[in-house]
Amino acid sequence: MFGIVRPCSHRLGEGLKTQWMAHLCGLCLALRGDHGQFARVVTNYDGLLISVLTEAQAERTTGWRRTAGPCPLRGMRTASVAQGEGARLAAAVSLVLASAKVRDHVADKDGLLARRPVALAARRVAASWGRAGARTGSDVGFDTAVLVDAVDRQVGIEALAGPGTPLLTVTEPTETATAAAFAHTAVLAGRPGNAEPLAEAGRLFGRLAHLLDAVEDRETDAASGAWNPLTATGTPLVEARRLAADALHGIRLALREVEFTDGKLAHLLLAHELGRSVDRAFGTSGCGHQAHADGARGAFGPPQHGGPYNPQSPQSPYDGQNPYGGGGNPFGGAPSFPPPGPGRRGFWAGCAAAIGVCCTCKVCCADEFEGPWSRKRREGCLGNCDCNCCEACEICECCECCSCCDCGL
């Protein structure tokens, strides 16, 4: 699962969590229904925004939901899932962009893709996904050529970019692709007047997606020598943060111009959760509710404040040492260390654990679960809660906390 908009279940509330999962499962099943089981691996959080926007604008009918059969990722439970042209458009966009992503990894010779047989197989998969996305896009009246063209131009722009190149020149192809996808939701919903503001929202969403991906991958790319737009153009993080804030503000302004039938979920995801994605990527806090973020370490480094219990603080009365002696053990003796973590599971034991994790719905719904093979703690799809005051931030009911981000909605 990938994507920048990853809401936590506490902020969604029960009603919006059900809707969000309906769109997520709807995208997954649309991929399976049109393109087979393997295509479901391109299911992503951001792709379902297309389905959400389409449904948010459309008049309510009885054809937007269907009951899906039991699924291991839902604990073998049935569920009401989204269907129709919105889910199929989301599937088409996801396939084409996943195809481009695979081709990009092949070109960069990332990991196993540096091996010729693996790279050849990946190219075939990418080409198959591209053709499948084009077919589904055509079925719903969307020409995926604009996405393919954007991907092709991205390669050339990156090859020519260097110090001094405006960062927005690098993000332009992504902006164009997402603008076209967002605008087409207005066509599917029968709201042509919404196409222009949604195109603007989509353009800025594409800019944000590109920026946040660059920020999150900056250190990893530097270590591996991979191309990164911030490093290549010499753009400082402060400027990237300013561009991200401007894009977020522009999305909120564009949403004011959109006529929704029921825009509560779309508003929550694009006006609120997207802001938290920016804060998460830059290691900052843009909302007064997130007091816990004061202690976060992010792209701008740790907060510069101390206290009597901070061993790095000059105010520390013990200067980082235990007054009782014993190398950090208050009862003396040898220093205390955390117990070693559990070892990795073998292949077959990990497979058995993976089946158990899926069938108990922990992958989707648990706050944390143990990785089947690594045994490391993992976050569930809806478990990445970064709020300390879910009760005070019940956006899902009346959106009273909009003042915390000055979105004015």
Side-chain angles (χ1 to χ4, degrees), residues 164-203:
T165 301
L167 187 58
L168 298 188
T169 299
V170 179
T171 63
E172 181 275 323
T174 306
E175 296 177 20
T176 301
T178 51
F182 273 46
H184 196 68
T185 65
V187 177
L188 295 182
R191 300 263 190 174
N194 287 342
E196 185 174 344
L198 282 175
E200 177 67 5
R203 182 178 69 82

PDB file of all heavy atoms in Angstrom, residues 164-203:
ATOM      1  N   GLY A 164      19.608  25.209  -9.961  1.00  0.00           N
ATOM      2  CA  GLY A 164      18.996  26.409 -10.513  1.00  0.00           C
ATOM      3  C   GLY A 164      17.715  26.157 -11.272  1.00  0.00           C
ATOM      4  O   GLY A 164      16.951  27.090 -11.531  1.00  0.00           O
ATOM      5  N   THR A 165      17.443  24.908 -11.648  1.00  0.00           N
ATOM      6  CA  THR A 165      16.181  24.592 -12.326  1.00  0.00           C
ATOM      7  C   THR A 165      15.033  24.765 -11.344  1.00  0.00           C
ATOM      8  O   THR A 165      15.087  24.224 -10.235  1.00  0.00           O
ATOM      9  CB  THR A 165      16.187  23.146 -12.845  1.00  0.00           C
ATOM     10  OG1 THR A 165      17.261  22.958 -13.754  1.00  0.00           O
ATOM     11  CG2 THR A 165      14.872  22.815 -13.556  1.00  0.00           C
ATOM     12  N   PRO A 166      13.988  25.524 -11.701  1.00  0.00           N
ATOM     13  CA  PRO A 166      12.854  25.666 -10.774  1.00  0.00           C
ATOM     14  C   PRO A 166      12.246  24.313 -10.435  1.00  0.00           C
ATOM     15  O   PRO A 166      12.036  23.485 -11.323  1.00  0.00           O
ATOM     16  CB  PRO A 166      11.869  26.544 -11.564  1.00  0.00           C
ATOM     17  CG  PRO A 166      12.713  27.265 -12.566  1.00  0.00           C
ATOM     18  CD  PRO A 166      13.813  26.317 -12.931  1.00  0.00           C
ATOM     19  N   LEU A 167      11.975  24.097  -9.166  1.00  0.00           N
ATOM     20  CA  LEU A 167      11.423  22.814  -8.740  1.00  0.00           C
ATOM     21  C   LEU A 167      10.069  22.547  -9.394  1.00  0.00           C
ATOM     22  O   LEU A 167       9.731  21.396  -9.699  1.00  0.00           O
ATOM     23  CB  LEU A 167      11.292  22.785  -7.221  1.00  0.00           C
ATOM     24  CG  LEU A 167      10.877  21.465  -6.582  1.00  0.00           C
ATOM     25  CD1 LEU A 167      11.856  20.351  -6.939  1.00  0.00           C
ATOM     26  CD2 LEU A 167      10.768  21.602  -5.068  1.00  0.00           C
ATOM     27  N   LEU A 168       9.290  23.601  -9.648  1.00  0.00           N
ATOM     28  CA  LEU A 168       7.975  23.423 -10.258  1.00  0.00           C
ATOM     29  C   LEU A 168       8.076  22.964 -11.710  1.00  0.00           C
ATOM     30  O   LEU A 168       7.113  22.425 -12.247  1.00  0.00           O
ATOM     31  CB  LEU A 168       7.164  24.715 -10.165  1.00  0.00           C
ATOM     32  CG  LEU A 168       6.856  25.200  -8.747  1.00  0.00           C
ATOM     33  CD1 LEU A 168       5.888  26.374  -8.781  1.00  0.00           C
ATOM     34  CD2 LEU A 168       6.284  24.067  -7.894  1.00  0.00           C
ATOM     35  N   THR A 169       9.218  23.173 -12.334  1.00  0.00           N
ATOM     36  CA  THR A 169       9.425  22.626 -13.683  1.00  0.00           C
ATOM     37  C   THR A 169       9.469  21.101 -13.618  1.00  0.00           C
ATOM     38  O   THR A 169       8.953  20.406 -14.506  1.00  0.00           O
ATOM     39  CB  THR A 169      10.738  23.156 -14.282  1.00  0.00           C
ATOM     40  OG1 THR A 169      10.672  24.587 -14.377  1.00  0.00           O
ATOM     41  CG2 THR A 169      10.993  22.579 -15.668  1.00  0.00           C
ATOM     42  N   VAL A 170      10.062  20.575 -12.543  1.00  0.00           N
ATOM     43  CA  VAL A 170      10.176  19.122 -12.381  1.00  0.00           C
ATOM     44  C   VAL A 170       8.834  18.506 -12.014  1.00  0.00           C
ATOM     45  O   VAL A 170       8.517  17.385 -12.438  1.00  0.00           O
ATOM     46  CB  VAL A 170      11.242  18.800 -11.312  1.00  0.00           C
ATOM     47  CG1 VAL A 170      11.368  17.298 -11.112  1.00  0.00           C
ATOM     48  CG2 VAL A 170      12.586  19.396 -11.697  1.00  0.00           C
ATOM     49  N   THR A 171       8.022  19.221 -11.243  1.00  0.00           N
ATOM     50  CA  THR A 171       6.746  18.658 -10.795  1.00  0.00           C
ATOM     51  C   THR A 171       5.625  18.822 -11.817  1.00  0.00           C
ATOM     52  O   THR A 171       4.556  18.231 -11.658  1.00  0.00           O
ATOM     53  CB  THR A 171       6.294  19.312  -9.478  1.00  0.00           C
ATOM     54  OG1 THR A 171       6.060  20.714  -9.697  1.00  0.00           O
ATOM     55  CG2 THR A 171       7.345  19.151  -8.392  1.00  0.00           C
ATOM     56  N   GLU A 172       5.852  19.592 -12.871  1.00  0.00           N
ATOM     57  CA  GLU A 172       4.776  19.905 -13.828  1.00  0.00           C
ATOM     58  C   GLU A 172       4.115  18.679 -14.463  1.00  0.00           C
ATOM     59  O   GLU A 172       2.874  18.617 -14.548  1.00  0.00           O
ATOM     60  CB  GLU A 172       5.313  20.854 -14.913  1.00  0.00           C
ATOM     61  CG  GLU A 172       4.283  21.265 -15.953  1.00  0.00           C
ATOM     62  CD  GLU A 172       4.159  20.252 -17.088  1.00  0.00           C
ATOM     63  OE1 GLU A 172       5.199  19.678 -17.479  1.00  0.00           O
ATOM     64  OE2 GLU A 172       3.024  20.038 -17.573  1.00  0.00           O
ATOM     65  N   PRO A 173       4.862  17.665 -14.928  1.00  0.00           N
ATOM     66  CA  PRO A 173       4.174  16.508 -15.525  1.00  0.00           C
ATOM     67  C   PRO A 173       3.226  15.805 -14.555  1.00  0.00           C
ATOM     68  O   PRO A 173       2.118  15.408 -14.938  1.00  0.00           O
ATOM     69  CB  PRO A 173       5.332  15.585 -15.939  1.00  0.00           C
ATOM     70  CG  PRO A 173       6.496  16.511 -16.133  1.00  0.00           C
ATOM     71  CD  PRO A 173       6.324  17.557 -15.079  1.00  0.00           C
ATOM     72  N   THR A 174       3.647  15.655 -13.301  1.00  0.00           N
ATOM     73  CA  THR A 174       2.768  15.041 -12.306  1.00  0.00           C
ATOM     74  C   THR A 174       1.527  15.893 -12.096  1.00  0.00           C
ATOM     75  O   THR A 174       0.409  15.366 -11.962  1.00  0.00           O
ATOM     76  CB  THR A 174       3.514  14.868 -10.970  1.00  0.00           C
ATOM     77  OG1 THR A 174       4.730  14.157 -11.197  1.00  0.00           O
ATOM     78  CG2 THR A 174       2.665  14.090  -9.969  1.00  0.00           C
ATOM     79  N   GLU A 175       1.695  17.202 -12.052  1.00  0.00           N
ATOM     80  CA  GLU A 175       0.567  18.107 -11.882  1.00  0.00           C
ATOM     81  C   GLU A 175      -0.433  17.958 -13.029  1.00  0.00           C
ATOM     82  O   GLU A 175      -1.655  17.915 -12.813  1.00  0.00           O
ATOM     83  CB  GLU A 175       1.058  19.551 -11.815  1.00  0.00           C
ATOM     84  CG  GLU A 175       1.935  19.855 -10.614  1.00  0.00           C
ATOM     85  CD  GLU A 175       2.449  21.287 -10.650  1.00  0.00           C
ATOM     86  OE1 GLU A 175       1.839  22.115 -11.359  1.00  0.00           O
ATOM     87  OE2 GLU A 175       3.453  21.585  -9.982  1.00  0.00           O
ATOM     88  N   THR A 176       0.071  17.866 -14.239  1.00  0.00           N
ATOM     89  CA  THR A 176      -0.807  17.746 -15.412  1.00  0.00           C
ATOM     90  C   THR A 176      -1.606  16.451 -15.375  1.00  0.00           C
ATOM     91  O   THR A 176      -2.800  16.428 -15.680  1.00  0.00           O
ATOM     92  CB  THR A 176       0.035  17.805 -16.706  1.00  0.00           C
ATOM     93  OG1 THR A 176       0.751  19.048 -16.745  1.00  0.00           O
ATOM     94  CG2 THR A 176      -0.836  17.683 -17.938  1.00  0.00           C
ATOM     95  N   ALA A 177      -0.949  15.363 -14.989  1.00  0.00           N
ATOM     96  CA  ALA A 177      -1.624  14.061 -14.952  1.00  0.00           C
ATOM     97  C   ALA A 177      -2.731  14.039 -13.912  1.00  0.00           C
ATOM     98  O   ALA A 177      -3.860  13.607 -14.188  1.00  0.00           O
ATOM     99  CB  ALA A 177      -0.598  12.959 -14.665  1.00  0.00           C
ATOM    100  N   THR A 178      -2.437  14.511 -12.703  1.00  0.00           N
ATOM    101  CA  THR A 178      -3.452  14.467 -11.645  1.00  0.00           C
ATOM    102  C   THR A 178      -4.575  15.464 -11.907  1.00  0.00           C
ATOM    103  O   THR A 178      -5.727  15.218 -11.535  1.00  0.00           O
ATOM    104  CB  THR A 178      -2.820  14.738 -10.271  1.00  0.00           C
ATOM    105  OG1 THR A 178      -2.024  15.935 -10.344  1.00  0.00           O
ATOM    106  CG2 THR A 178      -1.946  13.580  -9.838  1.00  0.00           C
ATOM    107  N   ALA A 179      -4.264  16.587 -12.554  1.00  0.00           N
ATOM    108  CA  ALA A 179      -5.315  17.554 -12.896  1.00  0.00           C
ATOM    109  C   ALA A 179      -6.328  16.926 -13.842  1.00  0.00           C
ATOM    110  O   ALA A 179      -7.552  17.097 -13.676  1.00  0.00           O
ATOM    111  CB  ALA A 179      -4.695  18.795 -13.534  1.00  0.00           C
ATOM    112  N   ALA A 180      -5.843  16.180 -14.833  1.00  0.00           N
ATOM    113  CA  ALA A 180      -6.756  15.539 -15.787  1.00  0.00           C
ATOM    114  C   ALA A 180      -7.628  14.497 -15.102  1.00  0.00           C
ATOM    115  O   ALA A 180      -8.831  14.402 -15.378  1.00  0.00           O
ATOM    116  CB  ALA A 180      -5.942  14.896 -16.911  1.00  0.00           C
ATOM    117  N   ALA A 181      -7.050  13.716 -14.201  1.00  0.00           N
ATOM    118  CA  ALA A 181      -7.817  12.672 -13.515  1.00  0.00           C
ATOM    119  C   ALA A 181      -8.876  13.277 -12.600  1.00  0.00           C
ATOM    120  O   ALA A 181     -10.028  12.835 -12.579  1.00  0.00           O
ATOM    121  CB  ALA A 181      -6.872  11.770 -12.722  1.00  0.00           C
ATOM    122  N   PHE A 182      -8.511  14.309 -11.829  1.00  0.00           N
ATOM    123  CA  PHE A 182      -9.478  14.951 -10.940  1.00  0.00           C
ATOM    124  C   PHE A 182     -10.611  15.591 -11.740  1.00  0.00           C
ATOM    125  O   PHE A 182     -11.782  15.490 -11.360  1.00  0.00           O
ATOM    126  CB  PHE A 182      -8.782  16.021 -10.089  1.00  0.00           C
ATOM    127  CG  PHE A 182      -8.184  15.509  -8.810  1.00  0.00           C
ATOM    128  CD1 PHE A 182      -7.419  14.348  -8.792  1.00  0.00           C
ATOM    129  CD2 PHE A 182      -8.352  16.198  -7.617  1.00  0.00           C
ATOM    130  CE1 PHE A 182      -6.852  13.878  -7.622  1.00  0.00           C
ATOM    131  CE2 PHE A 182      -7.802  15.746  -6.436  1.00  0.00           C
ATOM    132  CZ  PHE A 182      -7.048  14.576  -6.433  1.00  0.00           C
ATOM    133  N   ALA A 183     -10.275  16.257 -12.834  1.00  0.00           N
ATOM    134  CA  ALA A 183     -11.298  16.946 -13.629  1.00  0.00           C
ATOM    135  C   ALA A 183     -12.298  15.968 -14.228  1.00  0.00           C
ATOM    136  O   ALA A 183     -13.487  16.274 -14.355  1.00  0.00           O
ATOM    137  CB  ALA A 183     -10.637  17.769 -14.730  1.00  0.00           C
ATOM    138  N   HIS A 184     -11.835  14.775 -14.581  1.00  0.00           N
ATOM    139  CA  HIS A 184     -12.742  13.815 -15.220  1.00  0.00           C
ATOM    140  C   HIS A 184     -13.775  13.270 -14.243  1.00  0.00           C
ATOM    141  O   HIS A 184     -14.826  12.782 -14.669  1.00  0.00           O
ATOM    142  CB  HIS A 184     -11.949  12.660 -15.838  1.00  0.00           C
ATOM    143  CG  HIS A 184     -12.748  11.863 -16.817  1.00  0.00           C
ATOM    144  ND1 HIS A 184     -13.165  12.358 -18.039  1.00  0.00           N
ATOM    145  CD2 HIS A 184     -13.255  10.595 -16.754  1.00  0.00           C
ATOM    146  CE1 HIS A 184     -13.865  11.449 -18.681  1.00  0.00           C
ATOM    147  NE2 HIS A 184     -13.935  10.367 -17.915  1.00  0.00           N
ATOM    148  N   THR A 185     -13.516  13.372 -12.940  1.00  0.00           N
ATOM    149  CA  THR A 185     -14.538  12.935 -11.981  1.00  0.00           C
ATOM    150  C   THR A 185     -15.793  13.794 -12.103  1.00  0.00           C
ATOM    151  O   THR A 185     -16.903  13.314 -11.876  1.00  0.00           O
ATOM    152  CB  THR A 185     -14.016  13.008 -10.530  1.00  0.00           C
ATOM    153  OG1 THR A 185     -13.747  14.373 -10.172  1.00  0.00           O
ATOM    154  CG2 THR A 185     -12.747  12.179 -10.370  1.00  0.00           C
ATOM    155  N   ALA A 186     -15.626  15.067 -12.474  1.00  0.00           N
ATOM    156  CA  ALA A 186     -16.781  15.947 -12.663  1.00  0.00           C
ATOM    157  C   ALA A 186     -17.607  15.502 -13.856  1.00  0.00           C
ATOM    158  O   ALA A 186     -18.842  15.571 -13.853  1.00  0.00           O
ATOM    159  CB  ALA A 186     -16.315  17.389 -12.841  1.00  0.00           C
ATOM    160  N   VAL A 187     -16.935  15.024 -14.888  1.00  0.00           N
ATOM    161  CA  VAL A 187     -17.639  14.527 -16.071  1.00  0.00           C
ATOM    162  C   VAL A 187     -18.432  13.277 -15.721  1.00  0.00           C
ATOM    163  O   VAL A 187     -19.612  13.139 -16.087  1.00  0.00           O
ATOM    164  CB  VAL A 187     -16.634  14.228 -17.205  1.00  0.00           C
ATOM    165  CG1 VAL A 187     -17.344  13.635 -18.417  1.00  0.00           C
ATOM    166  CG2 VAL A 187     -15.883  15.500 -17.594  1.00  0.00           C
ATOM    167  N   LEU A 188     -17.811  12.353 -15.000  1.00  0.00           N
ATOM    168  CA  LEU A 188     -18.495  11.115 -14.628  1.00  0.00           C
ATOM    169  C   LEU A 188     -19.687  11.381 -13.719  1.00  0.00           C
ATOM    170  O   LEU A 188     -20.700  10.684 -13.797  1.00  0.00           O
ATOM    171  CB  LEU A 188     -17.522  10.171 -13.919  1.00  0.00           C
ATOM    172  CG  LEU A 188     -16.348   9.623 -14.739  1.00  0.00           C
ATOM    173  CD1 LEU A 188     -15.511   8.668 -13.897  1.00  0.00           C
ATOM    174  CD2 LEU A 188     -16.838   8.916 -15.994  1.00  0.00           C
ATOM    175  N   ALA A 189     -19.571  12.397 -12.865  1.00  0.00           N
ATOM    176  CA  ALA A 189     -20.641  12.691 -11.918  1.00  0.00           C
ATOM    177  C   ALA A 189     -21.726  13.583 -12.517  1.00  0.00           C
ATOM    178  O   ALA A 189     -22.728  13.866 -11.840  1.00  0.00           O
ATOM    179  CB  ALA A 189     -20.067  13.359 -10.673  1.00  0.00           C
ATOM    180  N   GLY A 190     -21.541  14.011 -13.757  1.00  0.00           N
ATOM    181  CA  GLY A 190     -22.525  14.890 -14.376  1.00  0.00           C
ATOM    182  C   GLY A 190     -22.485  16.305 -13.826  1.00  0.00           C
ATOM    183  O   GLY A 190     -23.502  17.000 -13.803  1.00  0.00           O
ATOM    184  N   ARG A 191     -21.313  16.764 -13.412  1.00  0.00           N
ATOM    185  CA  ARG A 191     -21.126  18.120 -12.880  1.00  0.00           C
ATOM    186  C   ARG A 191     -20.031  18.833 -13.672  1.00  0.00           C
ATOM    187  O   ARG A 191     -18.954  19.108 -13.153  1.00  0.00           O
ATOM    188  CB  ARG A 191     -20.727  18.068 -11.416  1.00  0.00           C
ATOM    189  CG  ARG A 191     -21.720  17.408 -10.500  1.00  0.00           C
ATOM    190  CD  ARG A 191     -22.590  18.429  -9.826  1.00  0.00           C
ATOM    191  NE  ARG A 191     -23.387  17.824  -8.756  1.00  0.00           N
ATOM    192  CZ  ARG A 191     -24.144  18.524  -7.945  1.00  0.00           C
ATOM    193  NH1 ARG A 191     -24.217  19.838  -8.080  1.00  0.00           N
ATOM    194  NH2 ARG A 191     -24.849  17.916  -7.010  1.00  0.00           N
ATOM    195  N   PRO A 192     -20.262  19.157 -14.930  1.00  0.00           N
ATOM    196  CA  PRO A 192     -19.193  19.768 -15.737  1.00  0.00           C
ATOM    197  C   PRO A 192     -18.681  21.076 -15.167  1.00  0.00           C
ATOM    198  O   PRO A 192     -17.525  21.453 -15.406  1.00  0.00           O
ATOM    199  CB  PRO A 192     -19.867  19.976 -17.104  1.00  0.00           C
ATOM    200  CG  PRO A 192     -21.338  19.936 -16.827  1.00  0.00           C
ATOM    201  CD  PRO A 192     -21.510  18.998 -15.682  1.00  0.00           C
ATOM    202  N   GLY A 193     -19.502  21.791 -14.417  1.00  0.00           N
ATOM    203  CA  GLY A 193     -19.050  23.032 -13.819  1.00  0.00           C
ATOM    204  C   GLY A 193     -17.964  22.854 -12.784  1.00  0.00           C
ATOM    205  O   GLY A 193     -17.254  23.812 -12.442  1.00  0.00           O
ATOM    206  N   ASN A 194     -17.822  21.639 -12.268  1.00  0.00           N
ATOM    207  CA  ASN A 194     -16.790  21.363 -11.265  1.00  0.00           C
ATOM    208  C   ASN A 194     -15.435  21.043 -11.879  1.00  0.00           C
ATOM    209  O   ASN A 194     -14.441  20.935 -11.156  1.00  0.00           O
ATOM    210  CB  ASN A 194     -17.205  20.181 -10.386  1.00  0.00           C
ATOM    211  CG  ASN A 194     -18.306  20.533  -9.416  1.00  0.00           C
ATOM    212  OD1 ASN A 194     -18.563  21.703  -9.146  1.00  0.00           O
ATOM    213  ND2 ASN A 194     -18.969  19.513  -8.889  1.00  0.00           N
ATOM    214  N   ALA A 195     -15.392  20.874 -13.197  1.00  0.00           N
ATOM    215  CA  ALA A 195     -14.161  20.395 -13.829  1.00  0.00           C
ATOM    216  C   ALA A 195     -12.995  21.354 -13.606  1.00  0.00           C
ATOM    217  O   ALA A 195     -11.872  20.928 -13.301  1.00  0.00           O
ATOM    218  CB  ALA A 195     -14.395  20.176 -15.319  1.00  0.00           C
ATOM    219  N   GLU A 196     -13.241  22.655 -13.732  1.00  0.00           N
ATOM    220  CA  GLU A 196     -12.139  23.614 -13.611  1.00  0.00           C
ATOM    221  C   GLU A 196     -11.564  23.671 -12.200  1.00  0.00           C
ATOM    222  O   GLU A 196     -10.336  23.549 -12.029  1.00  0.00           O
ATOM    223  CB  GLU A 196     -12.606  25.002 -14.052  1.00  0.00           C
ATOM    224  CG  GLU A 196     -11.480  26.028 -14.080  1.00  0.00           C
ATOM    225  CD  GLU A 196     -11.930  27.365 -14.649  1.00  0.00           C
ATOM    226  OE1 GLU A 196     -13.004  27.405 -15.283  1.00  0.00           O
ATOM    227  OE2 GLU A 196     -11.203  28.359 -14.463  1.00  0.00           O
ATOM    228  N   PRO A 197     -12.384  23.849 -11.145  1.00  0.00           N
ATOM    229  CA  PRO A 197     -11.784  23.866  -9.805  1.00  0.00           C
ATOM    230  C   PRO A 197     -11.160  22.522  -9.416  1.00  0.00           C
ATOM    231  O   PRO A 197     -10.152  22.488  -8.705  1.00  0.00           O
ATOM    232  CB  PRO A 197     -12.951  24.230  -8.885  1.00  0.00           C
ATOM    233  CG  PRO A 197     -14.184  23.932  -9.660  1.00  0.00           C
ATOM    234  CD  PRO A 197     -13.833  24.165 -11.090  1.00  0.00           C
ATOM    235  N   LEU A 198     -11.735  21.411  -9.889  1.00  0.00           N
ATOM    236  CA  LEU A 198     -11.141  20.113  -9.569  1.00  0.00           C
ATOM    237  C   LEU A 198      -9.821  19.918 -10.306  1.00  0.00           C
ATOM    238  O   LEU A 198      -8.898  19.276  -9.776  1.00  0.00           O
ATOM    239  CB  LEU A 198     -12.117  18.986  -9.914  1.00  0.00           C
ATOM    240  CG  LEU A 198     -13.246  18.780  -8.902  1.00  0.00           C
ATOM    241  CD1 LEU A 198     -14.223  17.729  -9.399  1.00  0.00           C
ATOM    242  CD2 LEU A 198     -12.696  18.380  -7.531  1.00  0.00           C
ATOM    243  N   ALA A 199      -9.729  20.454 -11.519  1.00  0.00           N
ATOM    244  CA  ALA A 199      -8.447  20.391 -12.231  1.00  0.00           C
ATOM    245  C   ALA A 199      -7.373  21.149 -11.465  1.00  0.00           C
ATOM    246  O   ALA A 199      -6.220  20.706 -11.354  1.00  0.00           O
ATOM    247  CB  ALA A 199      -8.599  20.954 -13.640  1.00  0.00           C
ATOM    248  N   GLU A 200      -7.754  22.304 -10.893  1.00  0.00           N
ATOM    249  CA  GLU A 200      -6.799  23.070 -10.088  1.00  0.00           C
ATOM    250  C   GLU A 200      -6.418  22.299  -8.823  1.00  0.00           C
ATOM    251  O   GLU A 200      -5.232  22.240  -8.452  1.00  0.00           O
ATOM    252  CB  GLU A 200      -7.410  24.425  -9.720  1.00  0.00           C
ATOM    253  CG  GLU A 200      -6.547  25.284  -8.816  1.00  0.00           C
ATOM    254  CD  GLU A 200      -5.269  25.774  -9.483  1.00  0.00           C
ATOM    255  OE1 GLU A 200      -5.080  25.524 -10.694  1.00  0.00           O
ATOM    256  OE2 GLU A 200      -4.447  26.402  -8.787  1.00  0.00           O
ATOM    257  N   ALA A 201      -7.407  21.706  -8.158  1.00  0.00           N
ATOM    258  CA  ALA A 201      -7.110  20.912  -6.971  1.00  0.00           C
ATOM    259  C   ALA A 201      -6.212  19.728  -7.320  1.00  0.00           C
ATOM    260  O   ALA A 201      -5.271  19.396  -6.586  1.00  0.00           O
ATOM    261  CB  ALA A 201      -8.403  20.423  -6.324  1.00  0.00           C
ATOM    262  N   GLY A 202      -6.495  19.085  -8.452  1.00  0.00           N
ATOM    263  CA  GLY A 202      -5.677  17.958  -8.879  1.00  0.00           C
ATOM    264  C   GLY A 202      -4.259  18.366  -9.228  1.00  0.00           C
ATOM    265  O   GLY A 202      -3.294  17.659  -8.916  1.00  0.00           O
ATOM    266  N   ARG A 203      -4.123  19.513  -9.882  1.00  0.00           N
ATOM    267  CA  ARG A 203      -2.785  19.998 -10.236  1.00  0.00           C
ATOM    268  C   ARG A 203      -1.946  20.215  -8.978  1.00  0.00           C
ATOM    269  O   ARG A 203      -0.783  19.792  -8.907  1.00  0.00           O
ATOM    270  CB  ARG A 203      -2.910  21.301 -11.021  1.00  0.00           C
ATOM    271  CG  ARG A 203      -1.588  21.884 -11.490  1.00  0.00           C
ATOM    272  CD  ARG A 203      -1.815  23.158 -12.295  1.00  0.00           C
ATOM    273  NE  ARG A 203      -2.306  24.231 -11.451  1.00  0.00           N
ATOM    274  CZ  ARG A 203      -1.520  25.008 -10.692  1.00  0.00           C
ATOM    275  NH1 ARG A 203      -0.210  24.799 -10.680  1.00  0.00           N
ATOM    276  NH2 ARG A 203      -2.032  25.960  -9.965  1.00  0.00           N
TER     277      ARG A 203
END
